[in-house]
Amino acid sequence: MDVAHSGVLEVGIPVACRSCQARHGVVCGVLSSGQLKDLGRHSLRRKVDAGCEIIAQGSESSFYSNIMSGVVKLCKVMPDGRQQIVGLQFAPDFVGRPFVRESTLSAEAATDAEICVFPRSLLDRMISETPELQRSLHDQALKELDAAREWMLTLGRRTAEEKVASLLHLIATHAEPQTATSTAFDLPLSRAEIADFLGLTIETVSRQMTRLRKSGVIRIENFRHIIVPDMDELERMISA
Amino acid sequence: MDVAHSGVLEVGIPVACRSCQARHGVVCGVLSSGQLKDLGRHSLRRKVDAGCEIIAQGSESSFYSNIMSGVVKLCKVMPDGRQQIVGLQFAPDFVGRPFVRESTLSAEAATDAEICVFPRSLLDRMISETPELQRSLHDQALKELDAAREWMLTLGRRTAEEKVASLLHLIATHAEPQTATSTAFDLPLSRAEIADFLGLTIETVSRQMTRLRKSGVIRIENFRHIIVPDMDELERMISA
DNA sequence: ATCGCGATTTGATCCAGATCAAAGTTTGCG
DNA sequence: CGCAAACTTTGATCTGGATCAAATCGCGAT
């Protein structure tokens, strides 16, 4: 995936990583090379393991990130422990909510991932000053809004089988490589996480998965690796 | 509600309305008075009846609107007719998706409403040129994104009773007037629309409504008019 | 007023998906 | 290698909400 497209340019000066122990990152910057000077010393590339919480729900976070590789899940949990994944983000998405101190959701690496971290104060200022950056973040917000609303339809009106098919379609669409019709990919989510994304239980997810396998829509290897022989067939299941 | 806050200023020159038959509107404009001159002759205020479709799903729309009064529902429908309301908008929200030709959802007046209509081409240009407008639309997009994600939690993880309580809470929160704890309001949605917003059937909505009434959380008059004696109690039901 | 029709409520029954329970599988670690 | 803990699948049963089926209510038109 072309990272430069996202408005993120990698500069490549190796530095010690301040926030994660025993790892090192490289500096990266945002948008125009004129601004790289500003940002250079304040941002860094960082590796995070699967399960690592990038932003905690209800906390104030003092930084933003760009996803360089891997998958990040956005999650809301209720006081009694019920939880719902409200979005998946892939490279080169932006993580964090501009202009607002406290996050209403948590962001957690679903797979091992690399992110590029920026201090909030700096980036907030840059957003106000550079219209292209504002526009690029506005575009991503609108894209995420479309995705969220599409998922509301899935959560509210689709059956368990359609939900699972929708998830597979979503992942397949965002995880290359794919041939013309046949697609293979690794699921970035466990069964429990899939259940939390679809508003189902793990048992139901598992059962629908076997159902799709038995009906020939997908093949499963290693729990995680999925093959979709015919994407059209998968799309037909979603009736969309 | 303070409409000027939204970046919309009403100018108040009466003109014939081009798009709706037998009605008349008044010109209104966007943001700074310097730009009003530009926009003045191209936008108009318009009354729409409940049920009127402002933007059709899958169509290209050539205008944007601002809601001056009333409630607008955003709706997605599947080929087989299942449908899901994916958002409610109140004055002074902006309706329409900047920069994208085709809408993935329909916008329909849920109540009689007044909207202020702008030609797309003009506003797209203005958005690019005026950072405050861009910023204001960016903010609304982020607000809608938060609302959509909150609703995903409701759709995926709450029970029917909690869903209905969540809806009442949402409406109560956006429809004044309210005293310290007691609140009264008119529902802008029919039972069928509530069902489509909550991912339930009308029968379940009706049953949960009576349940809330019998347990004393709400009082119902006229199907449409609801009284919440104690908002705290309603909030406790949502566990949020 | 009364009629008629659509919206709402209420009741009876059904079923998709949840819950409870028990095997497999996979992975990491001593 | 072998065991333990976590994850996944499969099975049996239960249940919240859907579906099917009547009433009842409210409202505009005659």
Side-chain angles (χ1 to χ4, degrees), chain A residues 74 76-80 82-87 89 97-100 104-105 127-128 131 134-135 137-153 155-159 162-163 192 195-201 238-240, chain B residues 74 76-80 82-87 89 97-100 104-105 127-128 131 134-135 137-153 155-159 162-163 192 195-201 238-240:
Chain A
L74 305 180
K76 289 179 88 83
V77 340
M78 294 170 65
D80 64 9
R82 284 177 285 179
Q83 70 178 73
Q84 175 71 42
I85 294 179
V86 297
Q89 302 200 276
R97 158 106 201 224
F99 311 123
V100 174
T104 60
L105 47 76
I127 292 169
S128 304
Q134 168 100 249
R135 165 67 188 267
L137 291 174
H138 188 184
D139 279 346
Q140 181 180 330
L142 290 171
K143 206 188 58 170
E144 287 181 42
L145 187 54
D146 281 350
R149 285 172 169 163
E150 182 62 38
W151 211 252
M152 286 174 69
L153 181 62
L155 287 173
R157 290 303 186 198
R158 290 206 234 255
T159 65
E162 291 171 326
K163 284 180 175 181
D196 281 338
F197 199 14
L198 296 172
L200 299 172
T201 60
I238 305 173
S239 53
Chain B
L74 305 179
K76 289 178 88 81
V77 340
M78 294 171 65
D80 63 9
R82 286 178 282 179
Q83 70 178 72
Q84 176 71 44
I85 294 179
V86 297
Q89 303 201 276
R97 159 104 202 225
F99 311 123
V100 174
T104 61
L105 47 76
I127 293 169
S128 306
Q134 169 100 250
R135 165 67 188 268
L137 290 174
H138 188 185
D139 279 346
Q140 181 180 330
L142 290 171
K143 206 189 58 172
E144 286 181 42
L145 186 55
D146 281 350
R149 285 173 168 162
E150 182 62 38
W151 210 252
M152 286 174 69
L153 180 64
L155 287 173
R157 289 305 185 196
R158 292 206 232 254
T159 64
E162 292 171 327
K163 284 180 176 181
D196 281 338
F197 198 14
L198 296 172
L200 298 172
T201 59
I238 306 172
S239 54

Side-chain angles (χ1 to χ4, degrees), chain A residues 10-11 23 28 33 37 50 53 65 102 111 115 133 142 150 154 159 174 186 205 214 226 234 238:
Chain A
E10 191 177 331
V11 184
R23 282 228 169 70
C28 53
S33 52
K37 187 163 45 70
E53 193 169 51
S65 331
E102 187 173 311
T111 63
I115 60 178
L133 182 53
L142 290 171
E150 182 62 38
T154 298
T159 65
H174 288 263
D186 283 309
V205 170
K214 284 180 179 167
I226 305 286
L234 190 61
I238 305 173

Side-chain angles (χ1 to χ4, degrees), chain B residues 172 175-185 227-232 235:
Chain B
E176 300 159 82
Q178 40 197 293
T179 66
T181 53
S182 160
T183 307
F185 54 90
I227 297 171
V228 181
D230 181 1
M231 282 296 282
D232 294 342
E235 280 172 22

